[in-house]
Amino acid sequence: MTTSRDFFHSRIGFVLAAAGSAIGLGNIWGFPTQAANNGGGAFLFVYLIVTLLLALPALYAEIYLGNQAQKNPVSALEDACRESVPNVGKYAGIIGLCGAVMMLSFYTIVAGWMLAHALSPLFELLGFIDISNWLSTSSTARNVLFTPIFAILGAVIIHQGVNAGIEKWSTRLMPVLLLMLIGLIVYILQQPGASEGLRVYLIPDFSQVTDPKLVISAMGQAFFSLSIGVGGMMVYGSYMKKDKDIGKLVLSIATLDTFIAFMAGLLIIPALFVAQHAGLEVFRDNKLIGEGQLIFSILPQLFSSMGSIGLIVAFGFFSLLSIAALTSTISSIEVPVAYLVEEKNKTRVKATWLISGIVLIASFTIIAFFDVLFGLIIQLLTTILQPLSCLFYFLVVGWIWKRGNKLVDKSLQNNSQWLKIWGNYLRYVCPILLSVVFVNVAILN
Ligand code: PFF
């Protein structure tokens, strides 16, 4: 089916959109929580290694596949596998597409919490204390209100299309996010107790870096953070003109994403120690109290201990998280939308609202059975579906498609030796390395 496809109009537009997808709650909420729970500096150290050895190559493979195919992920994988293993690619693409919907179903809920927490200090400033308290307290009613609000925000941006919607908004929102993060770091580092947090975060305890649980957490975090394994990066790769210097672009995206995660750690981990210095109990038996709830319990307390300026800081911080969540949501919705537009002849507007409706139904199902489903869906996606999809991408690029040793990449075209080494790395080393980690995940689970 041929439809005229929209494109990113600039390299920077592509990099910012892809980085916008990568940078989200995973970096600013997930990474610091995991780092604080897994030895601080040791986690950071392993995270950087895993990103370099596995997540970055997986991101490359995903974007490369989309860029070569110039099609949505289902059709791209279907084409790549047509000769050797007919239909396998198509089904893998559809599984990835379901992964994107799974990701959206829980991510939209959490993003709704961020939005509510961003509005809470505003209502407090205006004197509506009851509303402010309601907004900052977890409840089913709050989920039912804010999940759709967030879903609608994402749909409004995405139905405007690649250039007008995704590229324009990512280009605008990303720099704002970085500036807000820097401002908050400067603020927090001046507070008493912050230097102890800095030390824990920046100086690794090397006796912990071989702990398999730490390695596995770091690997899951790296995959989720770079948005690999559900087709979001593949569809963005397909919106870039063919045969660009993918290597350089992937390096920029991974660097930006890792930099923001690092900066988020630089904010949150010292913030925890500032809270502890102020008398709050933050760690018990070396683990964070409340784990994933850290941001929603400890940070608001910390912000309120700052007096009225804390309300502005809280607003800034949670707005920052909402913006990051929005640009990540956009790439995931784009996966099924691109499929419906290109293969099922739907208009972009119809496809967007249809998918948003399906996501909302899934989100409401999770809200209704929250205790059972919320953690389960996250676990299924990040520890099973994403790693398996990445393994599949490596196998497609390296073996099934028979192009692992024939990569086309402008970044490396003047250096055929490096291109060959890189091709062989994707072909041999990555699938083996990923299988080893995946088997370990299965055993430890
Ligand atoms: N990378 C995003 C984050 O760190 O929050 C999450 C994500 C976005 C995962 C898009 C997958 C995806 F397709």
Side-chain angles (χ1 to χ4, degrees):
M1 185 151 309
T2 48
T3 33
S4 71
R5 302 186 92 239
D6 206 353
F7 282 96
F8 287 113
H9 285 190
S10 62
R11 278 170 55 103
I12 188 75
F14 169 77
V15 170
L16 286 175
S21 160
I23 297 163
L25 303 176
N27 305 59
I28 302 176
W29 175 46
F31 175 82
T33 308
Q34 296 251 28
N37 259 334
N38 288 289
F43 185 87
L44 176 64
F45 180 77
V46 174
Y47 180 85
L48 293 176
I49 291 179
V50 171
T51 298
L52 199 67
L53 293 185
L54 262 180
L56 192 142
L59 179 64
Y60 183 95
E62 181 166 341
I63 294 184
Y64 186 78
L65 275 165
N67 187 244
Q68 287 288 307
Q70 299 280 300
K71 286 182 178 170
N72 69 84
V74 178
S75 313
L77 290 173
E78 186 180 12
D79 282 3
C81 297
R82 194 182 308 275
E83 276 176 30
S84 321
V85 274
N87 285 333
V88 171
K90 182 175 177 180
Y91 292 125
I94 290 175
I95 292 173
L97 192 148
C98 295
V101 174
M102 262 165 88
M103 177 272 176
L104 287 164
S105 63
F106 75 81
Y107 207 80
T108 312
I109 299 174
V110 183
W113 299 346
M114 303 295 167
L115 210 53
H117 276 277
L119 292 177
S120 168
L122 283 189
F123 278 92
E124 193 176 333
L125 268 177
L126 295 172
F128 297 105
I129 306 297
D130 285 350
I131 300 181
S132 167
N133 286 342
W134 184 80
L135 286 168
S136 63
T137 310
S138 163
S139 69
T140 304
R142 195 187 67 178
N143 285 341
V144 168
L145 181 66
F146 277 89
T147 303
I149 290 181
F150 204 86
I152 289 168
L153 271 178
V156 165
I157 293 184
I158 204 157
H159 95 233
Q160 297 173 28
V162 173
N163 178 251
I166 303 171
E167 187 170 354
K168 200 167 86 191
W169 278 95
S170 297
T171 318
R172 279 181 192 167
L173 296 179
M174 291 292 304
V176 177
L177 187 136
L178 187 58
L179 283 180
M180 287 173 91
L181 200 50
I182 292 171
L184 285 170
I185 290 170
V186 169
Y187 178 84
I188 210 75
L189 289 184
Q190 290 166 8
Q191 307 304 309
S195 55
E196 171 66 2
L198 263 190
R199 196 188 57 73
V200 167
Y201 183 48
L202 296 180
I203 304 177
D205 169 2
F206 285 103
S207 68
Q208 292 186 34
V209 300
T210 46
D211 176 358
K213 278 206 171 127
L214 186 148
V215 176
I216 284 155
S217 307
M219 144 119 188
Q221 179 58 37
F223 275 24
F224 188 73
S225 188
L226 281 177
S227 307
I228 345 173
V230 296
M233 288 298 188
M234 200 181 293
V235 79
Y236 275 12
S238 79
Y239 291 143
M240 192 171 40
K241 292 264 165 16
K242 209 171 166 180
D243 295 337
K244 289 267 184 237
D245 38 5
I246 309 255
K248 275 190 199 150
L249 296 173
V250 164
L251 208 57
S252 323
I253 297 161
T255 308
L256 270 173
D257 182 64
T258 310
F259 177 65
I260 297 277
F262 173 75
M263 296 287 272
L266 214 51
L267 168 67
I268 308 263
I269 296 186
L272 291 174
F273 284 81
V274 170
Q276 202 171 36
H277 189 269
L280 295 175
E281 196 189 5
V282 174
F283 294 98
R284 197 175 291 151
D285 302 329
N286 269 339
K287 290 275 166 207
L288 278 176
I289 294 171
E291 289 213 16
Q293 291 298 321
L294 134 99
I295 281 177
F296 307 108
S297 54
I298 288 168
L299 286 181
Q301 285 183 45
L302 174 72
F303 294 142
S304 69
S305 75
M306 296 171 183
S308 49
I309 182 85
L311 290 177
I312 309 213
V313 178
F315 170 72
F317 183 76
F318 287 111
S319 303
L320 182 151
L321 286 183
S322 305
I323 292 167
L326 191 61
T327 50
S328 296
T329 313
I330 294 169
S331 71
S332 264
I333 311 181
E334 185 62 20
V335 177
V337 166
Y339 174 67
L340 290 179
V341 170
E342 288 171 19
E343 296 303 308
K344 302 288 170 200
N345 226 4
K346 295 258 182 285
T347 64
R348 188 167 183 84
V349 177
K350 249 196 200 148
T352 306
W353 290 112
L354 182 67
I355 296 302
S356 302
I358 293 174
V359 168
L360 265 187
I361 294 172
S363 300
F364 279 128
T365 312
I366 295 179
I367 292 170
F369 303 98
F370 192 86
D371 292 345
V372 184
L373 288 184
F374 186 72
L376 187 69
I377 300 279
I378 297 178
Q379 179 97 350
L380 267 178
L381 179 71
T382 57
T383 62
I384 297 180
L385 203 142
Q386 286 186 286
L388 279 184
S389 281
C390 288
L391 183 59
F392 186 68
Y393 298 159
F394 287 136
L395 295 177
V396 172
V397 170
W399 298 91
I400 298 175
W401 207 20
K402 300 192 182 72
R403 291 196 196 170
N405 46 2
K406 292 188 207 121
L407 291 176
V408 183
D409 190 328
K410 276 197 186 155
S411 321
L412 292 169
Q413 72 184 5
N414 295 328
N415 198 331
S416 57
Q417 195 58 26
W418 275 109
L419 197 58
K420 208 165 164 199
I421 293 175
W422 180 236
N424 282 330
Y425 184 75
L426 294 177
R427 195 168 148 90
Y428 296 104
V429 182
C430 289
I432 294 174
L433 212 57
L434 188 50
S435 305
V436 168
V437 180
F438 191 71
V439 167
N440 273 316
V441 174
I443 292 170
L444 276 177
N445 273 337

